[in-house]
Amino acid sequence: MADFESLTGRLLVAMPGIGDPRFEQAVILVCVHEPGHAMGLRLDRPAPMIDLQSVLSKLDMVAPDSTIGAPVLIGGPVEKERGFVLHTDDWMSPDASLSFHDGLAMTATREALAAMTDPTAGPRRSRLLLGYAGWDEGQLEDELGENVWLVADADLEVIFDADHATKWSRALKGLGIDGAMLSGQAGRA
C-alpha cells in the first residue's frame, strides 16, 4: 500500500448514526495502525461498578486510597477482561511498553498497574482500560471511507481527564464541529 497513512496516535470520533451501539459517541485513541490491522482504546466509557481500587484488590495488589473511585474504562469489545494501562511515556517498562505517539505509551502488565499508584516513580498520567477496539486489514480504512469516523489530533485532556460525558463533544469541538449540527443520515449529491 503505497498510499497508506497511519492514524497511530490520532483520535477516532464516531459520527452520529454509526450503526453499532458499542461505539455511539465513541472517542477512540488509535494505538496501532498498520496496513494489516489497527488497534485502539475507547476513552469515554467508564466501566460500571468498577474502580481502580477494586481491580488492584482483586489482583492482590496494593490499592492506595487514591485509587478509590478512579475510573476503569471499557477500552473496547475485544478481550474485555484484558487490561491495558494507557500512560505518559515518562514511565516505561523496557520489555513491555509500546510507545506509539509523542508522549504516549501503553503497557499491559502488573508492573504498569503498580506504577499507576506510585506518585513519584510512576507515569505522570495514566488510565486503566479493559478490552480494546480492533480492525482487520482494510476494515478501518473502509469505515473511514464510509464516513463512520472523523479523525482528530490527540489531546491529552480528552485522553486522560475524567470528564467522560463530554469527551465526544470536546473532540468534535477540537475539529471545529458542533455535535448538535451533525446528522446521522447519509446523502448523495
Side-chain angles (χ1 to χ4, degrees), residues 103-119:
L104 294 173
M106 175 180 63
T107 310
T109 64
R110 288 175 64 96
E111 178 188 16
L113 280 171
M116 287 180 75
T117 66
D118 186 335

Side-chain angles (χ1 to χ4, degrees), residues 149-171:
W149 303 103
L150 295 172
V151 179
D153 290 332
D155 176 324
L156 290 181
E157 291 309 309
V158 170
I159 292 169
F160 289 111
D161 76 14
D163 185 2
H164 301 102
T166 67
K167 286 190 186 218
W168 183 75
S169 60
R170 287 185 291 137

Side-chain angles (χ1 to χ4, degrees), residues 124-170:
R124 189 174 74 269
R125 299 178 91 171
S126 60
R127 282 277 180 241
L128 174 61
L129 300 100
L130 299 176
Y132 66 93
W135 294 266
D136 290 329
E137 184 174 357
Q139 185 180 2
L140 179 55
E141 291 77 13
D142 289 347
E143 291 179 10
L144 289 165
E146 295 167 4
N147 296 318
V148 171
W149 303 103
L150 295 172
V151 179
D153 290 332
D155 176 324
L156 290 181
E157 291 309 309
V158 170
I159 292 169
F160 289 111
D161 76 14
D163 185 2
H164 301 102
T166 67
K167 286 190 186 218
W168 183 75
S169 60
R170 287 185 291 137

